[in-house]
Amino acid sequence: MQDHLINYLKQQVGPEHVLTSPEERWTYAYDATDRAAMPDAVVFPGSAAEVAAIVRLANAHRFPVVPRGAGTGRSGGSVPIEGGVVVVLTRLNRILEISKNDLVAVVEPGVILGKLKAAVEAEGLYYPPDPASAEFCTIGGNVAECAGGAVAVQYGVTRDYVLGLEVVLPTGELIEAGTRTMKGVVGYDLTRLFLGSEGTLGIITRITLRLVSKPPARQTLAAGFDTMEAAAATVSLILRSGLTPTALEFMDHVTLGCVQEMLPFALPAGTAALLLIAVDGQPQDVADRVGRIAQCCRDQGASPVLESKTPEEAEGLWRARKVVSPALLKVKPHKVSEDVVVPLGSIPALISALQDIARGRGLIIPSYGHAGDGNIHVNILYDQQVERERQAVPLAVEDLFTMVRKLNGTLSGEHGIGLTKAPYLGMELSPAALALQRRLKAAFDPLNIMNPGKIFPGPPPP
Amino acid sequence: MQDHLINYLKQQVGPEHVLTSPEERWTYAYDATDRAAMPDAVVFPGSAAEVAAIVRLANAHRFPVVPRGAGTGRSGGSVPIEGGVVVVLTRLNRILEISKNDLVAVVEPGVILGKLKAAVEAEGLYYPPDPASAEFCTIGGNVAECAGGAVAVQYGVTRDYVLGLEVVLPTGELIEAGTRTMKGVVGYDLTRLFLGSEGTLGIITRITLRLVSKPPARQTLAAGFDTMEAAAATVSLILRSGLTPTALEFMDHVTLGCVQEMLPFALPAGTAALLLIAVDGQPQDVADRVGRIAQCCRDQGASPVLESKTPEEAEGLWRARKVVSPALLKVKPHKVSEDVVVPLGSIPALISALQDIARGRGLIIPSYGHAGDGNIHVNILYDQQVERERQAVPLAVEDLFTMVRKLNGTLSGEHGIGLTKAPYLGMELSPAALALQRRLKAAFDPLNIMNPGKIFPGPPPP
């Protein structure tokens, strides 16, 4: 990157907020995938106006701009694959307002999700989305990827809580989208279009979130099963029971093996799957529904079925769930994580297909995740040093995506396409749909400077 | 319209499905507003392929295409203001599938909402959105306008239930957007972009809807208040109580006067406002929460506070609510209906401002609607024959929108912009946001053939 551009950036945001040494830049080359690419510079703007100045410079000199929060993404979305400037939004980290009267929060994109959730709960309110990275990830990244988490079964995902956004467009203008109100249909829904747009349509500089009342009670239940099939069948039964669980998570036996010592109880040796279930509501109602769900699990042969007696016990269960992803590296040093979703009735078929793929490709493929909404995190484990395993991984990924599409599923529920899934996009979107998506991108970003190389496979057609 | 074009249309859909006489065309010139414009032809396609053929013809010969369901829209969205062909989707009226396993329904756009709701409930499931026109409107129109209704307080609006769409683009291609799964973040969220796009981005030919379990119990409560202020304050209290009402509707005294004889009970003479509250859930929990909400109303001075004892009594209350809009014509022969939304904490301020506007402009301006989400239906009543009233109406509309924007509100919660609110769009969207919306429209519809003249004020800039 030319010196005069670096100098201009330093003038705009202050020299101490621009990183240029190779060591410093390398720190912002990667996210939570195994992809990395060196940026030309890393900039930490302190205001929306500074973000806009960076974007206008990028338009004038046609260099890529890659927005980034905490870098916890799982699809390479913030990896600067075509170089350019990484715009780190961690200085925009103020909670501007939590309004009990309006049931909204107004925040900057760099706020850590866990801090936001705690601040909201201190006011007796609740912001539900809870990706496993909640203690590290930023709310801006959550919006850009449309993050989910365990309680989506009852409460939905980030999309369902974003009312309004302030955004610097790829062309440099600052606009407001959406509302501070619970409803709104004025013009095209730009707010939800930015949700999950993976930093390719603009840089979010302020977010208005809908809040809900804090549920007065939550109980957690754990149920062990002898077979995967029994666990999957129980998930279907619970979803159709009208007992409306808040979360309905599952872990298979490989996953359980990796987090067993964190669980607040011992599991029998033959446990093939664990369901982790939460129920929110008024205390007596929660107790009733937890009792009926527990009975439903026992009827399906679950043993043990344990209701958490204290908040600490429940927290222990959820803590174990949240460290599953890194814990799997105990089994093999490398992994590819997918987050496919299938229609609810196809969960048993997917679980069974995963076992076939693992056998067929000679790989260990543990799965866990959000059984309650059909969003299963599939982890293909391997050792980079073992050629056979290394070569089998992309074949297993293709097997998986082929099966998911056959089951009318989707390639990603909450991690996004980014870099890692871009080559597979054509398995889900038709050429006409893809062409429309490219026209849409061009309407926002005619010079293709905003996070280029993401979502779409290959270079854009001329 | 030239004969050879009419003949081509007749070839495509069958001559019996093309209307050309002035009398027949006039039937499709208007919707539920007071606007009307004559189409050149009215066509009833029987398949997505026929819809695509009509749209391709329109591109080749550059005539407007205006999609239409039942014509119950409240903002002129289906009025063919620039002529062209009205495409009525009522022949595409099949419920293709209701899946208990996947908790989805797949339907064609011309299905009447009430029929869909009944078919879903017959399977023990529930499709929540319930605009007052549910017995007449089509699900396709609901998607195009992002319809809401009373239970949005708990369940959200149409947007929250549409998982996937099949759409004929303005350029004639048939694409699929979205998924059959509960989550999905693959590519830009075209599904939610079509929600509320008012027939300007394409013609929807199939809809995949998320369903939920049918709540085992629902109870309805009615509470009369002496003053509007007390009613508005009670709404705020209930929303912050954590008692999560399903619906929280309000009617002012003018509205009450128009539907009084339909109510299953007599109200005291001085009743200034009625709250109508529904609570869903497990039976015991519903009874508990209804009791606590009733107490909250009594504490705020409500009298009477009546819990519906039977489903018939509850139905009577909701029936009265649903006929409010036409019933207001008893007071004056004409009305302008607005559906503004303000942040929850500003409901009392809006209610009080409405009284000022009515006094200031010498008009009767009753209001009713979805107090629980801040979406208030404001009705400006007048007599077309009385010049003073006729001239005061647009001034009152401007007063209203100015006040709503001052309160950080939005011009429309569920009726859309269409024709009637297009002149006011600039009160909510900045020039940069509006320019982006126009570029987005052009990316979908380069020749501007799809429902032209809607949403955007005036002709598009050259």
Side-chain angles (χ1 to χ4, degrees), chain B residues 56-412:
Chain B
R56 284 195 300 267
L57 186 74
N59 272 278
H61 297 272
R62 304 211 177 185
F63 58 78
V65 169
V66 181
R68 178 187 173 100
T72 58
R74 306 292 292 270
S75 57
S78 60
V79 175
I81 194 74
E82 300 188 9
V85 172
V86 167
V87 177
V88 187
L89 295 155
T90 47
R91 283 180 66 212
L92 296 178
N93 62 356
R94 291 176 300 168
I95 296 175
L96 299 170
E97 186 190 355
I98 295 175
S99 167
K100 292 176 82 158
N101 280 330
D102 291 347
L103 294 175
V104 301
V106 182
V107 302
E108 291 184 325
V111 174
I112 300 294
L113 176 61
K115 285 193 182 168
L116 171 64
K117 288 174 73 84
V120 164
E121 287 180 40
E123 299 289 331
L125 299 173
Y126 183 44
Y127 174 74
D130 63 343
S133 55
E135 295 309 316
F136 317 102
C137 64
T138 63
I139 183 72
N142 289 185
V143 174
E145 300 294 327
C146 194
V151 302
V153 182
Q154 175 179 349
Y155 290 105
V157 295
T158 305
R159 179 193 296 124
D160 302 307
Y161 292 88
V162 179
L163 297 174
L165 295 171
E166 181 189 79
V167 181
V168 174
L169 296 180
T171 39
E173 304 99 322
L174 189 69
I175 67 156
E176 303 216 23
T179 64
R180 192 188 164 95
T181 56
M182 296 298 133
K183 284 178 178 167
V185 292
V186 169
Y188 300 129
D189 191 346
L190 298 182
T191 310
R192 275 80 184 190
L193 188 57
F194 285 114
L195 258 293
S197 63
E198 309 191 27
T200 65
L201 299 183
I203 300 184
I204 295 161
T205 52
R206 202 171 61 224
I207 304 162
T208 302
L209 295 166
R210 179 169 79 89
L211 305 175
V212 297
S213 300
K214 193 174 172 189
R218 172 174 294 177
Q219 273 189 44
T220 298
L221 187 75
F225 291 83
D226 283 349
T227 66
M228 295 283 279
E229 289 71 17
T234 306
V235 168
S236 291
L237 271 178
I238 294 171
L239 289 175
R240 279 184 287 164
S241 68
L243 295 168
T244 55
T246 297
L248 183 36
E249 295 285 306
F250 114 101
M251 296 186 220
D252 74 358
H253 72 284
V254 178
T255 315
L256 281 172
C258 294
V259 298
Q260 202 142 22
E261 71 272 23
M262 291 193 64
L263 294 174
F265 47 76
L267 284 174
T271 305
L274 189 76
L275 294 184
L276 209 54
I277 304 162
V279 177
D280 275 10
Q282 303 293 324
Q284 187 53 53
D285 180 46
V286 168
D288 288 353
R289 284 187 290 141
V290 164
R292 288 162 68 188
I293 291 173
Q295 191 54 52
C296 175
C297 291
R298 279 187 212 101
D299 291 347
Q300 296 303 306
S303 172
V305 177
L306 299 161
E307 295 173 35
S308 63
K309 295 280 175 283
T310 62
E312 291 69 34
E313 225 176 80
E315 200 150 307
L317 282 169
W318 290 109
R319 215 169 23 241
R321 164 63 185 86
K322 287 201 172 179
V323 299
V324 160
S325 178
L328 285 171
L329 297 177
K330 291 180 192 172
V331 181
K332 290 274 179 184
H334 305 101
K335 70 183 171 89
V336 167
S337 303
E338 300 298 347
D339 85 310
V340 299
V341 198
V342 292
L344 296 177
S346 296
I347 297 170
L350 177 68
I351 294 296
S352 146
L354 286 177
Q355 297 173 346
D356 294 343
I357 296 170
R359 243 191 321 271
R361 298 296 176 188
L363 292 168
I364 305 176
I365 308 185
S367 60
Y368 64 90
H370 317 304
D373 50 32
N375 184 195
I376 307 295
H377 295 311
V378 176
N379 292 266
I380 304 173
L381 307 184
Y382 68 107
D383 185 337
Q384 186 73 45
Q385 305 299 321
V386 180
E387 194 185 336
R388 190 196 61 74
E389 292 186 4
R390 201 174 61 231
Q391 290 178 346
V393 170
L395 302 173
V397 171
E398 280 221 36
D399 289 349
L400 171 66
F401 287 169
T402 303
M403 175 53 61
V404 164
R405 292 298 296 145
K406 207 168 135 188
L407 295 172
N408 269 314
T410 183
L411 305 189
S412 179

Side-chain angles (χ1 to χ4, degrees), chain A residues 100-103 145-146 148-149 152 157 159-160 169 171 173-176 178-190 192-198 200-201 213 216 239-243 282 285 289 292 341-346 370 373 375 408-417 425 428-430 432-433 436-437 439-441 443-444 455-456, chain B residues 100-103 145-146 148-149 152 157 159-160 169 171 173-176 178-190 192-198 200-201 213 216 239-243 282 285 289 292 341-346 370 373 375 408-417 425 428-430 432-433 436-437 439-441 443-444 455-456:
Chain A
K100 291 175 85 160
N101 281 330
D102 291 347
L103 294 176
E145 300 294 326
C146 193
V157 296
R159 178 193 298 122
D160 302 307
L169 296 180
T171 38
E173 304 98 323
L174 189 68
I175 66 157
E176 303 218 22
T179 65
R180 191 187 165 95
T181 57
M182 295 299 135
K183 283 178 177 167
V185 292
V186 169
Y188 300 129
D189 190 347
L190 298 182
R192 275 78 183 192
L193 189 57
F194 285 114
L195 258 293
S197 64
E198 309 192 24
T200 66
L201 299 183
S213 300
L239 289 176
R240 279 185 288 164
S241 68
L243 295 169
Q282 303 292 324
D285 181 47
R289 284 188 289 141
R292 288 163 69 189
V341 198
V342 292
L344 296 177
S346 296
H370 317 306
D373 50 32
N375 184 196
N408 270 314
T410 183
L411 305 189
S412 179
E414 49 187 29
H415 293 174
I417 297 298
L425 198 62
E428 187 155 339
L429 301 185
S430 70
L436 175 63
Q437 298 234 353
R439 292 202 300 276
L440 205 150
K441 163 73 170 168
F444 278 75
I455 300 181
F456 299 105
Chain B
K100 292 176 82 158
N101 280 330
D102 291 347
L103 294 175
E145 300 294 327
C146 194
V157 295
R159 179 193 296 124
D160 302 307
L169 296 180
T171 39
E173 304 99 322
L174 189 69
I175 67 156
E176 303 216 23
T179 64
R180 192 188 164 95
T181 56
M182 296 298 133
K183 284 178 178 167
V185 292
V186 169
Y188 300 129
D189 191 346
L190 298 182
R192 275 80 184 190
L193 188 57
F194 285 114
L195 258 293
S197 63
E198 309 191 27
T200 65
L201 299 183
S213 300
L239 289 175
R240 279 184 287 164
S241 68
L243 295 168
Q282 303 293 324
D285 180 46
R289 284 187 290 141
R292 288 162 68 188
V341 198
V342 292
L344 296 177
S346 296
H370 317 304
D373 50 32
N375 184 195
N408 269 314
T410 183
L411 305 189
S412 179
E414 49 189 28
H415 293 175
I417 297 298
L425 199 62
E428 186 155 339
L429 302 185
S430 70
L436 175 64
Q437 299 233 354
R439 291 201 301 275
L440 205 150
K441 163 74 170 167
F444 277 75
I455 300 180
F456 299 105

Side-chain angles (χ1 to χ4, degrees), chain A residues 89-148:
Chain A
L89 295 155
T90 47
R91 284 179 66 211
L92 296 179
N93 63 356
R94 290 177 301 169
I95 296 174
L96 298 170
E97 186 189 355
I98 294 175
S99 167
K100 291 175 85 160
N101 281 330
D102 291 347
L103 294 176
V104 302
V106 182
V107 301
E108 292 183 326
V111 173
I112 300 295
L113 176 60
K115 283 193 184 168
L116 170 63
K117 287 173 74 82
V120 164
E121 289 180 39
E123 300 290 330
L125 300 172
Y126 183 42
Y127 175 74
D130 63 343
S133 55
E135 296 308 317
F136 317 103
C137 63
T138 63
I139 183 71
N142 289 185
V143 174
E145 300 294 326
C146 193

